[in-house]
Amino acid sequence: MRRMILPALCVAALVLVGCDSPDSTKPDPGADIDAPIDGGDLTDLGDAADAAPPKCPFTADQVSELVGQPMVDQGNCLFGDGNGVASLTITTASRTAGEMTYDYQRQQADQIYQKVTDIDQGGKGYVAVKDIEGQAVLIAAPGTFTITLSSFQRLGGPEGYEQTLRRMIEVLPK
């Protein structure tokens, strides 16, 4: 037991001396206690501070007209046919976020869809289609839009999906 007393006293002495050391190079962990935690001002980052479009670009009536059948707004830019079959989803992101993920999305589209075509309708993007599904991505001045159509029997296959997606891209904000 005596063997443990001396090492314990030495450790205690070192701890006490280290705590009171006036020339400590470690900053006081409480020094920034009143500093803001919101991440600071992002305006000096240029385009990195751009935002996603503030709302869904279409109403249920507009979507119904574009796809050629009645659609119901199910919230968060998700539209359904009311029967749980056909669906249309639009996601939005900032232009910067779209640019950062575009190459990966495009690569995935090449693996998933039968046909992928680059577009030049007001920005950078593509239209990808297969027999029962289609996807379009558009990166434009207001932000990035990703449109996904699924299970629309009325569209009749890849050509119908492509035409519908192109019509939707034409009316997106640019």
Side-chain angles (χ1 to χ4, degrees):
M1 179 116 171
R2 287 184 194 180
R3 282 188 239 172
M4 297 185 73
I5 293 175
L6 185 58
L9 289 174
C10 289
V11 169
L14 288 173
V15 168
L16 291 174
V17 170
C19 288
D20 292 335
S21 176
D23 55 348
S24 174
T25 57
K26 292 184 181 178
D28 178 10
D32 293 333
I33 196 74
D34 294 325
I37 58 172
D38 66 358
D41 183 15
L42 296 178
T43 56
D44 61 340
L45 296 177
D47 284 342
D50 67 340
K55 61 180 183 160
C56 187
F58 300 120
T59 65
D61 289 339
Q62 291 169 316
V63 168
S64 297
E65 185 178 323
L66 289 164
V67 299
Q69 73 182 58
M71 298 298 286
V72 178
D73 185 344
Q74 297 177 328
N76 294 327
C77 225
L78 169 64
F79 301 91
D81 65 357
N83 299 318
V85 180
S87 69
L88 180 146
T89 305
I90 304 166
T91 57
T92 61
S94 69
R95 189 176 63 246
T96 302
E99 289 286 351
M100 291 174 63
T101 60
Y102 181 80
D103 291 336
Y104 176 76
Q105 276 188 290
R106 179 68 166 78
Q107 180 184 14
Q108 291 299 303
D110 282 331
Q111 295 176 11
I112 296 169
Y113 295 95
Q114 286 174 274
K115 179 181 176 186
V116 181
T117 309
D118 291 324
I119 58 171
D120 58 355
Q121 294 175 288
K124 178 180 181 179
Y126 65 85
V127 173
V129 294
K130 61 182 180 180
D131 57 345
I132 61 165
E133 188 176 336
Q135 180 184 70
V137 173
L138 175 67
I139 301 171
T144 300
F145 301 91
T146 301
I147 304 168
T148 305
L149 298 171
S150 180
S151 302
F152 282 86
Q153 292 179 356
R154 297 190 70 154
L155 298 182
E159 297 81 25
Y161 278 96
E162 183 172 2
Q163 290 171 1
T164 301
L165 287 166
R166 288 186 181 278
R167 276 196 310 271
M168 295 186 89
I169 290 169
E170 287 175 9
V171 295
L172 283 173
K174 294 177 187 63

